[in-house]
Amino acid sequence: MTIKAPYALQFDRASVRFPGTATYALENISLQVAPGELLTIVGASGSGKSTLLRCVNRLVELCDGRIEIDGVALESFAIDPLRRTIGYAIQGVGLFAHLTVAENLALVPESLGWPRARIDARIDEMLATVRLDPQIYRRRRPRALSGGQAQRVGIARALMAYPRLLLLDEPFGAVDPILRPQLQAELLGVLRAARTTTLFVTHDVDEALLLGDRIAVIDEGHLRAIGTPRALLDRPPDDFTAELLCGDALLHEYRRARLAVREQSR
Amino acid sequence: MIAAILAHIALCALGVAVAATIAVPAALIFADRPKAERSLSALLGALYTVPSLALLAVLVQFIGLGNTSVEVALVIYALYAIFRNSVTGLRSIPPEQREVAAALGLPRWKRWLQVELPLALPAILSGLRVATLGSIALATLGGYVGGSGLGTIIFTGFALQNQSMLVQGAIGVVAIALLAEFAFRSLERVVRLRASG
Ligand SMILES: Nc1ncnc2c1ncn2[C@@H]1O[C@H](COP(=O)(O)OP(=O)(O)OP(=O)(O)O)[C@@H](O)[C@H]1O
Ligand SMILES: [Mg+2]
């Protein structure tokens, strides 16, 4: 008999309804994420992607169903300590403008009571990981960073305290298409090295296909499909997923070819 | 004269400082409790509109003549401006920033000290400025109830029909007010720059 390791994250018929709205923002979402897995979440604007992420760190509460982390129900954790173990980075406004890069990065480790020397060493390590020279960037304020640099600092902050889960909400939304591939590759490298279980929201289908071990397709609060890029591209389970992921015949061919290249490079 | 000016400044500084130690934490607590905040604002606003001489008369009944009564009156009047401006400042923090602070799991006190206060600081400072200017004017009434400060010169000048004493006192008050205005404006500029990175 084998004992199955718990999922890093599990949604069980989770639903969300915001007060004063007639429809569910999320309805009956069930999915499992394995430890170390990177799940990308795609869908149209307003489909509920951000809401799905925000349930995990309880910025949004479920009205029905449940979520488990490492096999433990979400409500059984005290909320602030739980949040300190979940990295969260969002597009644009995530960094505090009145704090330097180093001060932004130190916030969570300070709350965890790390000694100063350990925090400083980790700041240097994380800045180097996201390819920002600590000597130059430690003392910068967010104003003095480019969009791409700010985004990297945001991801570094989310990873500072070795989170058990990482939630990224369109982290590259504000980054130009020239820099994007580089940041995507860097992020993959960082996440592989840290083996951090990650939910990555994007409305860029190619980004979702490129980064995700698996992809979840959300449409109007419903989970339409979930599977590996290969499975979803080869056999999309419904018309909506086919339309979104495969596009027209030419785009479909192109995406499958890119996926083949990616599979080989692994 | 110099002694009176210094006493005046000390009177106002203490009053505003005490009011700030009450009003700023109160704003932190009440900013996201709109119902309670409205009641408290209404109460402070009502106190603010009580004519100052009447308030002083009542305070003297309980506390007696002297600086303590003046000080209590200064605090009561300063509370309103500091509280209202602080609440406004805290409420104008972009919700995304407050949310990120919560999402990082920062303890409440750390969110206050490291995120909410610094971001609301420009507004808090303008509350302090308004309260300080009000106090500088109000503190002259201290001369009427046995307090110290420039009020003593003004009221003595009034009693003796001494024009030059009256003018000296008035000029002293105006000078302190201009100084305070300038100091706070400069501070606000620095803080505003800092808060926006
Ligand atoms: N706090 C809230 N109160 C009421 N409705 C909300 C709230 N937050 C989100 N919604 C609604 O829930 C739905 C899903 O929103 P969500 O932000 O999850 O979409 P999204 O997929 O992230 O969209 P986008 O790609 O534009 O970021 C939307 O219809 C939105 O208007
Ligand atoms: Mg969103």
Side-chain angles (χ1 to χ4, degrees), chain A residues 96-100 103 141 143, chain B residues 118-119 121-122 188-197:
Chain A
F96 296 114
H98 63 289
L99 300 178
T100 64
E103 287 165 346
R141 283 179 198 281
R143 252 306 150 69
Chain B
L119 290 175
L121 204 52
E188 278 171 52
R189 213 173 11 253
V190 173
V191 165
R192 220 174 277 279
L193 273 177
R194 239 186 86 90
S196 61

Side-chain angles (χ1 to χ4, degrees), chain A:
Chain A
M1 195 184 108
T2 57
I3 298 169
K4 241 178 113 193
Y7 292 110
L9 178 67
Q10 177 164 19
F11 279 64
D12 185 11
R13 278 165 293 155
S15 299
V16 169
R17 189 172 184 167
F18 289 106
T21 57
T23 55
Y24 287 95
L26 290 177
E27 192 170 6
N28 266 320
I29 304 284
S30 294
L31 57 83
Q32 296 84 31
V33 187
E37 189 178 25
L38 198 173
L39 179 69
T40 50
I41 298 159
V42 273
S45 185
S47 56
K49 306 181 295 294
S50 299
T51 304
L52 185 80
L53 276 201
R54 293 148 53 84
C55 291
V56 179
N57 58 8
R58 295 185 65 185
L59 290 173
V60 170
E61 296 289 349
L62 300 185
C63 66
D64 217 344
R66 59 193 256 131
I67 295 176
E68 289 179 3
I69 291 183
D70 298 329
V72 179
L74 206 54
E75 314 87 72
S76 49
F77 297 92
I79 197 156
D80 282 337
L82 171 76
R83 285 171 171 171
R84 281 173 225 144
T85 68
I86 301 179
Y88 183 57
I90 58 176
Q91 178 186 323
V93 289
L95 298 176
F96 296 114
H98 63 289
L99 300 178
T100 64
V101 165
E103 287 165 346
N104 267 286
L105 292 180
L107 285 170
V108 175
E110 276 171 3
S111 309
L112 290 168
W114 288 19
R116 192 70 239 174
R118 183 177 178 208
I119 297 176
D120 281 332
R122 180 71 174 158
I123 289 173
D124 288 347
E125 182 188 345
M126 283 317 301
L127 284 178
T129 305
V130 296
R131 307 240 216 131
L132 294 171
D133 183 349
Q135 296 302 322
I136 301 174
Y137 291 100
R138 263 178 158 273
R139 265 181 268 273
R140 287 270 179 99
R141 283 179 198 281
R143 252 306 150 69
L145 299 175
S146 75
Q149 289 167 343
Q151 216 48 258
R152 293 187 224 193
V153 175
I155 289 171
R157 184 176 67 184
L159 283 167
M160 271 294 284
Y162 308 96
R164 64 165 116 201
L165 269 180
L166 184 60
L167 309 175
L168 302 175
D169 197 345
E170 305 202 27
F172 303 140
V175 176
D176 64 66
I178 299 171
L179 192 59
R180 245 179 198 240
Q182 188 194 338
L183 287 189
Q184 289 166 342
E186 279 174 24
L187 179 70
L188 268 187
V190 174
L191 295 182
R192 287 239 182 81
R195 303 237 353 110
T196 310
T197 311
T198 304
L199 298 191
F200 185 109
V201 164
T202 176
H203 53 226
D204 178 341
V205 171
D206 288 300
E207 185 169 71
L209 289 168
L210 177 72
L211 296 179
D213 295 320
R214 286 188 303 153
I215 300 175
V217 178
I218 306 284
D219 173 39
E220 295 186 337
H222 296 267
L223 180 64
R224 289 284 173 213
I226 182 165
T228 61
R230 172 58 62 198
L232 292 187
L233 273 187
D234 286 353
R235 282 165 270 104
D238 63 3
D239 288 350
F240 182 84
T241 308
E243 173 102 13
L244 182 75
L245 292 191
C246 308
D248 58 31
L250 192 59
L251 193 54
H252 194 188
E253 259 333 292
Y254 162 76
R255 283 177 172 159
R256 287 171 61 158
R258 270 193 73 174
L259 186 60
V261 171
R262 177 192 149 186
E263 284 167 346
Q264 274 183 352
S265 70
R266 283 212 156 162

